[in-house]
Structures are given as structure tokens and as C-alpha cells.
Amino acid sequence: MPHTIYMESPLEDRILLAHGSGGKLAHELIKSRFVPAFDNTFLSRLDDSAVIEVSGRLAFTTDSFVVSPIFFPGGDIGRLAVCGTVNDLAMAGAKPLYLSLALIIEEGLLQSELSRIIGSVREAAREADVEIVTGDTKVVNRGSADRLFINTAGVGLIPHGVNISGHNARPGDIVILSGTIGDHGIAVLSQREGLSFSAPLQSDCAPLGGLVAGMLKISPSIHCLRDPTRGGLATTLNEIAEQSGVGIRIEEEKIRVRSEVLGACEMLGLDPLYIANEGKLVAVVPPQEAGRVVEAMRKHQYGKDAEIIGEVVAEHPRRVVMKTILGASLIVDMLVGDPLPRIC
Amino acid sequence: MPHTIYMESPLEDRILLAHGSGGKLAHELIKSRFVPAFDNTFLSRLDDSAVIEVSGRLAFTTDSFVVSPIFFPGGDIGRLAVCGTVNDLAMAGAKPLYLSLALIIEEGLLQSELSRIIGSVREAAREADVEIVTGDTKVVNRGSADRLFINTAGVGLIPHGVNISGHNARPGDIVILSGTIGDHGIAVLSQREGLSFSAPLQSDCAPLGGLVAGMLKISPSIHCLRDPTRGGLATTLNEIAEQSGVGIRIEEEKIRVRSEVLGACEMLGLDPLYIANEGKLVAVVPPQEAGRVVEAMRKHQYGKDAEIIGEVVAEHPRRVVMKTILGASLIVDMLVGDPLPRIC
């Protein structure tokens, strides 16, 4: 690698291999950046594991984030890494509690960029009311990674009486979507490809623990919750249909898509049903509770555009069928291929 | 990227970007490989989180693995990823229970290599008596990662009455090392650099949960446990001295180093005290228990070479001092720089 790549700024402003060595520079990085940023008694002990007191049914999940670029309109890889795992916990009906944070950094990342991302992690964790209690930092040589990858794992506590799973959809249940689709995928894509829109388009990246808590307060008997990330709404609905062995019918006209997202999709030959979201959820609820759940969702900033978009049926098990605006019935399959790699 | 790189073997034998899409190929990969390999009711539900029942003091930890090469004598990145996290849990005195497994795959990895690594993960998890209950797979384009990175996070249960931390070393305590040092680092290095030894040198990569359980049975009042991975024995002892505000004295002649490791270190200008281990531990125990703990360790396959290597002292707080074989006293500092990057 040519040394000139380092000349843009002094050596000490960049992450070096030794920051991942486990030795002095690694300790300095941890003590000067991570411990103060995520100020809590678990992390600051600097033992090999965090020790937490919990009792009951725990949700446990993990996700790695490889989004490119690492900064995008409405968020960055740090905010995404917190929201993604918080949301996977929330989709089990759990109250998200504790997160781990593991970084794989490509040598040469600017320290200022790392600081900005750690700041985003801290802010998102604060908003989601979770603590970063344990972590790991690895640095690989230039060309062996793409700037920064982040893994978060998380644990959360599932309240008594809550039993949410993709297996629980029953014919007659109502399908609710919390808001517009495609915002995250198109925001990242626009940043990556240098597209610009007349109105600024932002990722919807947000922690959904609070929204879910509000929904469960109204209806602890929600059957399924899932966030339509990679593969989009179409793939998520297919997963639920598959796991529960039921059919799902949705109505195209009930699905909200921002005009900028629709425009970008038309231009690029993409279908918003398959575009990733990072701050949306699909809920499958018993019919008698649907109205009240939607009402509760609309009171929350991340559910204000919630709509009933369809229902669970006994017919065409394992298939999702959409009634289009023009009145046709289309089978909506799971995503095939990958039109937008590295979106999260 | 030239298409010819794919010509060595048919397309379907390699991991493609779409395997990380969240869509059809991703689901096939999960159902055909991960679910059968890690056969358990948590994972096979395929929900966003695993739901586990636990109660008490939990240890929670994470580690990413970026070792290069991904296959090395005595192990591979899969075995390492299980042992690394199992050991971090064990070093909190916890019984390791559940692990997450998150893969970041560079497009083009051979399916057969992935299968081999998943097989290693399964075997190591079986040996360590832990279950892989949740996971994630991301695929990045060629050149954006180096073949395969793995993150594991884990949770374990800390038995009642056990209180282990790097903060708990007290003057008078005895320092025990479970076996030879430097095996892992030199085994990986030899594979990477094409060095060969007359006797084959293997990584010591091993899960230490069983060894620790045996030690805690004899002495629940063990003060500190830590596995000397990155940064080696020297860095680990410095961490304990720093966290507990004590001095540590060790004797060089008590520290066992294989002759092949010593030879390689001499040739390469490395110090075995700073070389990573992946199946060793340092224990700090009250003096009256040291003999019985060493005896219990020697009964276990991963502790058969256990030795008392030194003691904790009130003098020279936060410093590690080694009495050399020739009788001199040396200050042993924490690792500075990184002589062996990407060793784990």
C-alpha cells in the first residue's frame, strides 16, 4: 500500500493495526473512547464478560452490519447497528436491555469518523434505553475489510404472558404495517450512487422498542411482529406465511410509499415491496384487537402512519397474494437475488 | 473483478452476494446448512430472536474473529469463534450456555470451505456443551472482506457464590498458568508464512468451560480468571495488576514454552510472553487454595501442565515483574504495537 494514502492527515488521526492488538493502543482506545461514551458500571469493569442480573424469558439475537457507505442520509452504521438489534429483540416482544458492540475496522479509518459513529451508537442506545455492556475491537490491514463492520448482539426480557413468533399467525388475523416502506434502502442507495431527489430522502432507521411496548400494553396477545429489513415487506410476509402455514392477502392501495421512493424505484427498476426498511414493523393481531392496536401505534412517532394492510387467510397456505390498485391479484414471492447488496 | 476467478469451480459451489440478501438463497442457506448443523429448537424456529429461559447472574460477552488464514494447524476460524467466546464466559466463572453466530462472508468463498467451518463450529459447540441459538449471515462483494469473519456472542450462568473479576487480585494470592504459552500464535503464523517445524506445532484452541467448572468445584473463591489471548500472558497479567491495583511477580523458569515455539520466537524476534493463546488460562487464587486448584487442573486435559508461576504482591502496584532464569528482575510491560496482527 502506498504511504501517500496516509498523508491526508497525520498518522495519529487514523486507526492502526495496533489498535486491535489487545495491547497498549487497544487499551487506550477502549478507555478513552468506549468507556466514557457508554458510561455504565458493566462495561467500565473491563472484564472478559459483562455480568448482568436477569430472570425470566430472555430474547437473544445478533446482527452484523456491513452497510456501504457507512454514513447515509438519516443515519450511519452506528445508529443502524443499535436499531437493528434492538428491533430484533422488540420483534420477540422483549424489552431490549443490554447490547454488545463488536467492531471490525479497516486500518486507516479516520479517528474522527470512528468518534462520530461511536457518538451515533451512544445516541441510539440512549433513545432505545439500552446499555452497551461489552465489546470487542479488531483491526484488519487495508484492503481486508471495507472501512468498518459492526456486530451487535442483544438480550431483552419478554414480559409475562407475551408469546410472539412467526409461527403464530392464524386465519382471520389482521396484518398491520407501521408506516411507509423502502425509505432506508433508497436512502442508502441514493448516497452510494450519488442520486439526488428534489425532497431530501432519509433512512427510517429507528429503535422500535417503545412502539412495541405501547402495542403490547393495549394487546398482549399480538401474534407476530417482524421488521421488514433485508428482502423488504414481501419477504417478511412470505416468512410469516411459511412459518405459520397460512395464506396472507394484502391490498396494494393500503401500502404507503413516499413519492421519492416510488420515483427512484421506477427509475431503477426496483420494487418497493423488496426494499429494506430499518424502522418499520409488521404486526399480525387477532381481529378484535386490530383497531385498538392501530390506534395505539398512531400515537407513537414511529407508528403514526400505521395502517391495516391485509389479513391472514386459510386459503393458499404459504403464499402472499396482493390485490393491486387496478384490481388484479398477484402472487408476491420472496426476494430472489439481491438487487441492493450491503444495505444494512 | 475478472470472471475467470469463478472458473475454478462451478458457480453454485461458491457463496454469492444473494446468499446474504435475506431472500430465497439466504433462506436456503439457513435451512440447508445452519439449522441441521446446530439442530436445536431455539434456532429452528427462525424468529428474529431466540427465546431462552434463564434466571440469575448472567455473563454476556462478544468477540469477532478475523484470523488469517482461516484454516490453521489445530483448528480453524470456526473452532476459534466458539472457543473464544466460551472462554470469555468461563473467565467470568460462568457456565457457558448459548451462543450467537454471525458470519461476514466475502463473495466467492467456496461452499465446501463454509461447510467445513460450520462443521468445526458444531464440533466445538458440542465439546463446549453450548448451543448456537441465533445467527446472521452477511455477504460482501469481493475485495471488501478477507474470505470470512465470524462474530460470536454468548451468555452463561454464574453459579451462586462465585465472584470472579480482574479487580479481585489481593496481595498474597497465587498466580497459576494452565499450560504452555504461544502455541496458537506461532501455529497461525507458521501457516501464514509457510514456516515448517520438525515437530508439527498445533494451535491450543480449546473450550475451557469444563476446566473452569472443575476448578470452581474445588475452590468457589477463585479471585481472577483470564485467558491470555491477544497480547499474550504479559498483557493479561498487566491487565489484572492494573485492574486490582496490585503488583505481580512471576518466575520465568515456571513458564512452559514448547521448544518449537521458542525456536520460532528466537528466529522471528518475538517474545512468547506476548504471543496469543486460545486454550490457556491464568488463575489468581487465595494462597491456601492454590495447591488443590493446581491438582484439580492437572486432572483435566486442558490443564494437565498447570503450574504456579508467581504471586500477587503489595509492592510495585500496577507492575508485573519477572525473575529471569538468570536471576535478574525485569519489568514486563503490556504489549506495545502488534507483532502478529489477525491472530484471532
Side-chain angles (χ1 to χ4, degrees), chain A residues 20 45 48 61 165 230 243, chain B residues 20 45 47-48 61 230 243:
Chain A
R45 290 187 69 78
D48 285 335
T61 192
S165 164
R230 281 181 294 174
Q243 284 180 279
Chain B
R45 290 188 69 78
D47 281 328
D48 285 336
T61 191
R230 281 180 293 174
Q243 284 181 278

Side-chain angles (χ1 to χ4, degrees), chain A residues 17-18 20-24 27 31 45-64 66 88-89 91-92 98-100 102 104 133-138 140-141 143-146 149 151 153 158 165-167 226-227 230-231 235 239 242-243 333-338 342 344, chain B residues 17-18 20-24 27 31 45-64 66 88-89 91-92 98-100 102 104 133-138 140-141 143-146 149 151 153 158 165-167 226-227 230-231 235 239 242-243 333-338 342 344:
Chain A
L17 277 176
S21 66
K24 277 213 166 167
H27 279 81
K31 284 193 187 163
R45 290 187 69 78
L46 296 179
D47 281 327
D48 285 335
S49 292
V51 178
I52 55 185
E53 293 260 3
V54 214
S55 150
R57 275 186 311 152
L58 287 190
F60 176 38
T61 192
T62 187
D63 245 328
S64 294
V66 298
D88 279 348
L89 294 172
M91 296 310 123
Y98 302 111
L99 259 53
S100 63
I104 297 175
V133 295
T134 185
D136 177 54
T137 306
K138 295 287 189 304
V140 298
N141 38 307
S144 291
D146 189 7
F149 300 146
N151 177 282
I158 302 175
S165 164
H167 294 80
R226 192 153 292 180
D227 53 339
R230 281 181 294 174
T235 301
E239 286 170 359
E242 175 75 32
Q243 284 180 279
D333 203 353
M334 204 172 256
L335 177 67
V336 177
D338 192 359
R342 298 188 57 191
C344 65
Chain B
L17 276 176
S21 66
K24 277 211 166 168
H27 279 81
K31 284 193 186 161
R45 290 188 69 78
L46 296 178
D47 281 328
D48 285 336
S49 292
V51 178
I52 55 184
E53 293 260 0
V54 216
S55 152
R57 274 185 313 151
L58 288 189
F60 175 39
T61 191
T62 188
D63 246 328
S64 294
V66 298
D88 279 347
L89 294 172
M91 297 310 123
Y98 302 111
L99 258 53
S100 64
I104 297 174
V133 296
T134 185
D136 177 55
T137 306
K138 294 288 190 301
V140 298
N141 38 306
S144 291
D146 189 6
F149 301 146
N151 177 283
I158 302 175
S165 164
H167 294 79
R226 191 153 295 181
D227 54 337
R230 281 180 293 174
T235 301
E239 287 170 358
E242 174 75 31
Q243 284 181 278
D333 203 353
M334 203 173 259
L335 177 67
V336 177
D338 192 359
R342 297 188 58 192
C344 64

Side-chain angles (χ1 to χ4, degrees), chain B residues 214-226:
Chain B
M215 294 165 68
L216 286 173
K217 215 167 162 182
I218 294 296
S219 170
S221 59
I222 290 171
H223 287 164
C224 321
L225 288 173
R226 191 153 295 181

Side-chain angles (χ1 to χ4, degrees), chain A residues 79-304:
Chain A
R79 180 169 173 83
L80 193 59
V82 171
C83 295
T85 288
V86 160
N87 292 350
D88 279 348
L89 294 172
M91 296 310 123
K95 172 167 173 42
L97 294 173
Y98 302 111
L99 259 53
S100 63
L101 179 74
L103 310 179
I104 297 175
I105 306 174
E106 184 190 17
E107 180 191 21
L109 184 76
L110 285 173
Q111 292 256 14
S112 58
E113 293 177 312
L114 181 62
S115 289
R116 203 175 137 193
I117 287 162
I118 292 171
S120 294
V121 169
R122 185 186 58 226
E123 283 313 306
R126 192 173 294 170
E127 184 187 345
D129 197 19
V130 294
E131 296 201 89
I132 310 290
V133 295
T134 185
D136 177 54
T137 306
K138 295 287 189 304
V139 182
V140 298
N141 38 307
R142 238 175 216 267
S144 291
D146 189 7
R147 308 192 72 197
L148 176 64
F149 300 146
I150 300 184
N151 177 282
T152 47
V155 293
L157 196 57
I158 302 175
H160 188 73
V162 167
N163 179 21
I164 291 170
S165 164
H167 294 80
N168 295 355
R170 296 288 167 267
D173 282 352
I174 297 300
V175 180
I176 303 167
L177 176 63
S178 66
T180 57
I181 60 168
D183 301 32
H184 175 73
I186 297 300
V188 172
L189 186 69
S190 67
Q191 181 74 16
R192 192 192 297 169
E193 307 297 338
L195 308 177
S196 61
F197 302 102
S198 48
L201 179 65
Q202 303 248 309
S203 163
D204 58 350
C205 182
L208 300 177
L211 174 63
V212 169
M215 294 164 69
L216 287 172
K217 213 165 163 184
I218 294 297
S219 171
S221 59
I222 289 170
H223 288 164
C224 322
L225 289 172
R226 192 153 292 180
D227 53 339
T229 57
R230 281 181 294 174
L233 178 62
T235 301
T236 291
L237 292 174
N238 271 281
E239 286 170 359
I240 294 172
E242 175 75 32
Q243 284 180 279
S244 293
V246 296
I248 293 180
R249 274 193 205 142
I250 55 172
E251 291 183 54
E252 187 178 19
E253 67 174 356
K254 302 290 186 180
I255 299 167
R256 298 171 75 138
V257 188
R258 281 180 212 283
S259 58
E260 310 91 281
V261 171
L262 210 53
C265 282
E266 277 169 7
M267 194 171 75
L268 300 162
L270 299 170
D271 183 338
L273 286 175
Y274 294 93
I275 306 295
N277 311 277
E278 291 291 344
K280 297 293 158 29
L281 64 81
V282 172
V284 176
V285 303
Q288 66 278 12
E289 320 233 342
R292 290 190 308 142
V293 171
V294 170
E295 208 177 299
M297 290 173 75
R298 287 183 180 159
K299 285 182 187 148
H300 195 280
Q301 61 170 325
Y302 297 134
K304 62 180 166 38

Side-chain angles (χ1 to χ4, degrees), chain A residues 6-16 108-111:
Chain A
Y6 286 121
M7 299 300 286
E8 304 148 25
S9 70
L11 250 179
E12 49 276 334
D13 286 344
R14 290 185 183 268
I15 296 293
L16 310 175
L109 184 76
L110 285 173
Q111 292 256 14

